[in-house]
Amino acid sequence: MFRNKKFVCSLLACLFLLCSLLIPSVSPKTVLASTGSVSLSTKITSAKPGDTITVTVSANSSTAFLGVSATVQFSSAFFEFEQVKVDNTSAGHPSADTVTFTYKCDDMTGVTSQKLGDIILKVKSNVSSGSTGAIKVTEAFGSDSNGQTGAFSGNSVTVTAAAPASSKPASSSAALSGNAALASLSFAETSLNRTFSSSVTEYSATVANAVTSLTVSAKAADGGAKVTVSGNENLKVGTNYVIVKVTAPSGATKQYNITVTRQAAASSQPSVSSQAASSQAAASSQAASSAPDVSGTESSSAASAGSENPEESSAESGSSGEPELSSAASEDASSSPEESAQDTPLPEPDLSGWVIHTAYIGGMIVCLLLGCMLGYFIRGRKES
């Protein structure tokens, strides 16, 4: 019984020592997203009713990141949304007080600083002097090249309402028109999904890949109303949002939203193989129409000559000087940007977890063998 206790104690001591050495090496990795932030900045901290301000949204991180998603919220009682401007970032359809930005890096090495876009807001005409309006980041997430994601921090900015330069009498504002409807709306490059109606504010349209901007024709029902258009330039492949806003002379506004889908390049351009096939068919048709009419004797002689030596016939046709369209098509296809994009090397898999678990199991087996050998050695010494 004493010998068995010695054996068990030795085995447990070896296992405890091995575990104490391996536990620090399997500690969890630091998530990239905990080191990032989404920041808001504006040059204006005090504005009069009716003034517009531009809020710049940027993402920063001490470690390279591949993507960021951020939601920015502003006080709807103080601000009125005008438009959002983005470069290589997409912005979701703005609601009454929220804009969501989504950025995805094209370079697999990632970036540490990226401007997501600008939000243009207008101070409402009915805010009182000294009141404040806040713009803040309510939610932000980032991801790195290893697929790790986590929350980014965010800040907020505040704008104070200044006293207006002059105030209009109540009687003059009451006499102004409040009609903020459109009389007509159309695009030069495409058509809307439904017949335009001034009472309908949601539409959609589809454009070809070659179209990168839209020419908008919008006429207000009231001649004194102001019409502004945003989102109709620098169209991206996929979903875009065009906003047509009408401001009546009284200050009343109405917004028309058009969801524009720009088609991908592959769907709007014929493939290289189809172009080569069309060129080959045209060349064959032209050769047939221009060939002279020879006698039956000569045709049979040519046919017999071709049957006697088909290899020479095929060699002569191959050296006739006409380029093979199928080869040109394959070369063009091999150099297409879509296949070049597929040659981009994928990130190597992370095998560190597998190596750690293998070392852990191997260490346990070694300790078990050492414990057994130690127990048998102690038992031999006791018996001798």
Side-chain angles (χ1 to χ4, degrees), residues 72-231:
V72 179
Q73 187 179 46
F74 53 89
S75 174
S76 58
F78 190 92
F79 296 106
E80 181 180 346
F81 176 79
E82 286 286 317
Q83 61 176 313
V84 58
K85 295 182 178 180
V86 296
D87 186 7
N88 58 341
T89 306
S90 61
H93 201 300
S95 61
D97 61 353
T98 303
V99 178
T100 300
F101 295 90
T102 302
Y103 166 77
K104 185 177 181 181
C105 184
D106 295 330
D107 188 356
M108 292 302 295
T109 60
V111 296
T112 57
S113 179
Q114 176 64 38
K115 178 181 177 181
L116 303 182
D118 293 324
I119 305 176
I120 300 178
L121 303 173
K122 180 179 179 181
V123 181
K124 288 190 173 182
S125 58
N126 60 348
V127 298
S128 57
S129 177
S131 60
T132 59
I135 308 104
K136 60 183 178 180
V137 179
T138 58
E139 187 178 42
F141 292 91
S143 61
D144 64 4
S145 59
N146 293 326
Q148 296 174 335
T149 60
F152 272 27
S153 61
N155 69 326
S156 62
V157 294
T158 303
V159 177
T160 304
S166 61
S167 58
K168 297 180 180 180
S171 58
S172 61
S173 61
L176 297 177
S177 171
N179 186 0
L182 279 178
S184 62
L185 175 63
S186 62
F187 293 148
E189 295 78 7
T190 184
S191 58
L192 299 175
N193 65 321
R194 65 177 73 179
T195 303
F196 174 76
S197 173
S198 60
S199 60
V200 179
T201 58
E202 298 290 335
Y203 298 90
S204 64
T206 301
V207 297
N209 177 261
V211 179
T212 58
S213 62
L214 292 173
T215 304
V216 184
S217 176
K219 182 179 180 181
D222 191 306
K226 179 183 177 182
V227 179
T228 58
V229 180
S230 63

Side-chain angles (χ1 to χ4, degrees), residues 235-248:
L235 299 179
K236 301 179 181 300
V237 174
T239 303
N240 301 267
Y241 299 99
V242 177
I243 298 175
V244 180
K245 185 176 181 181
V246 185
T247 303

Side-chain angles (χ1 to χ4, degrees), residues 194-326:
R194 65 177 73 179
T195 303
F196 174 76
S197 173
S198 60
S199 60
V200 179
T201 58
E202 298 290 335
Y203 298 90
S204 64
T206 301
V207 297
N209 177 261
V211 179
T212 58
S213 62
L214 292 173
T215 304
V216 184
S217 176
K219 182 179 180 181
D222 191 306
K226 179 183 177 182
V227 179
T228 58
V229 180
S230 63
N232 60 316
E233 297 180 353
N234 299 324
L235 299 179
K236 301 179 181 300
V237 174
T239 303
N240 301 267
Y241 299 99
V242 177
I243 298 175
V244 180
K245 185 176 181 181
V246 185
T247 303
S250 65
T253 60
K254 190 171 185 178
Q255 182 171 300
Y256 294 82
N257 303 312
I258 305 96
T259 302
V260 179
T261 302
R262 179 185 171 193
Q263 295 179 341
S267 62
S268 61
Q269 297 179 359
S271 63
V272 177
S273 60
S274 63
Q275 291 179 352
S278 300
S279 301
Q280 185 175 7
S284 301
S285 176
Q286 183 177 0
S289 60
S290 61
D293 186 10
V294 296
S295 64
T297 305
E298 292 178 352
S299 300
S300 60
S301 300
S304 61
S307 62
E308 290 177 357
N309 197 347
E311 295 181 356
E312 293 181 1
S313 175
S314 59
E316 290 176 358
S317 63
S319 60
S320 59
E322 296 180 1
E324 295 185 2
L325 297 178
S326 59

